[in-house]
Amino acid sequence: MTETIARSRRLGSIGSLVGLLALVAAILPHWVLPMIDPPPPIDKVIVDVGHRVKDRLVAHIKGVDYQAPARERSWTDRLHQQLPLAAVSLGLLAIILGVIGQLRREERHIAAIATTLGGCAIAVQLSFVLMGVLIVMAIIYFVGDFLSLF
C-alpha cells in the first residue's frame, strides 16, 4: 500500500514563531507604544527646545562648554530604540530558518510561513524608513520651491 512520509516541521515551526515575534517587534513601536505612553504635546517640546537653545547660546557667549542636562529615558524610549533592530534581526533569523527548513525538505507551507513573516517584518521597518525619506524630500522640494531654486 502507499505509505505517507512524515516530514519534520521543527525548523519551519521555530522559524514561524521567530517571524511572528519579528512582526510584533516591527509593529509595536509604531502603533502600540504611542497609545500606552503618548508623546508630549508639541508646545511643550518647542518650549524645551527653546530653553536648550537659549542655554547653549548663553554658554557660548560666556565661553563655557555647554553641558546638556542628563535626561532620564523612559522604558518606552528604550523600546523605541531597540525594537526596530530586534525586528530586523528576528526577521532575518526567521528567513534563514525557513530556507534551511526548505533545504532539509520539511513541509513546504511551514517553511513558507516562516520566510513570509520574516520578510514582512523587514518590509514594515523599511516602509517607515522610506516614509521618512519621502517626507524629507517633500520638505526639501517645498523649501527649494519657496526659494525659487527649482
Side-chain angles (χ1 to χ4, degrees):
M1 312 313 156
T2 60
E3 293 182 24
T4 60
I5 299 173
R7 294 185 175 182
S8 174
R9 297 180 178 175
R10 183 177 302 144
L11 287 177
S13 298
I14 294 170
S16 296
L17 289 174
V18 170
L20 185 63
L21 286 174
L23 198 57
V24 167
I27 291 173
L28 195 67
H30 302 291
W31 285 299
V32 177
L33 287 181
M35 290 182 199
I36 294 172
D37 186 22
I42 191 71
D43 56 347
K44 183 179 184 315
V45 172
I46 291 172
V47 168
D48 289 343
V49 169
H51 285 298
R52 277 188 265 145
V53 168
K54 181 190 72 150
D55 293 342
R56 188 177 297 240
L57 287 173
V58 168
H60 180 69
I61 290 171
K62 290 182 179 179
V64 185
D65 287 337
Y66 174 72
Q67 293 288 328
R71 191 179 80 135
E72 184 178 326
R73 297 180 60 89
S74 68
W75 63 277
T76 53
D77 289 339
R78 288 191 300 266
L79 281 178
H80 271 289
Q81 185 180 16
Q82 295 169 354
L83 281 178
L85 178 64
V88 172
S89 300
L90 289 173
L92 285 174
L93 182 62
I95 291 172
I96 289 169
L97 288 172
V99 168
I100 292 174
Q102 183 68 30
L103 292 175
R104 291 186 60 199
R105 300 192 186 271
E106 291 186 359
E107 287 195 28
R108 225 176 224 170
H109 67 281
I110 302 291
I113 289 171
T115 55
T116 303
L117 285 172
C120 287
I122 294 171
V124 166
Q125 287 302 317
L126 288 178
S127 69
F128 284 108
V129 170
L130 290 177
M131 280 190 278
V133 167
L134 288 175
I135 290 171
V136 168
M137 286 174 55
I139 290 171
I140 290 172
Y141 176 77
F142 286 127
V143 169
D145 188 45
F146 181 73
L147 297 175
S148 299
L149 294 176
F150 297 118

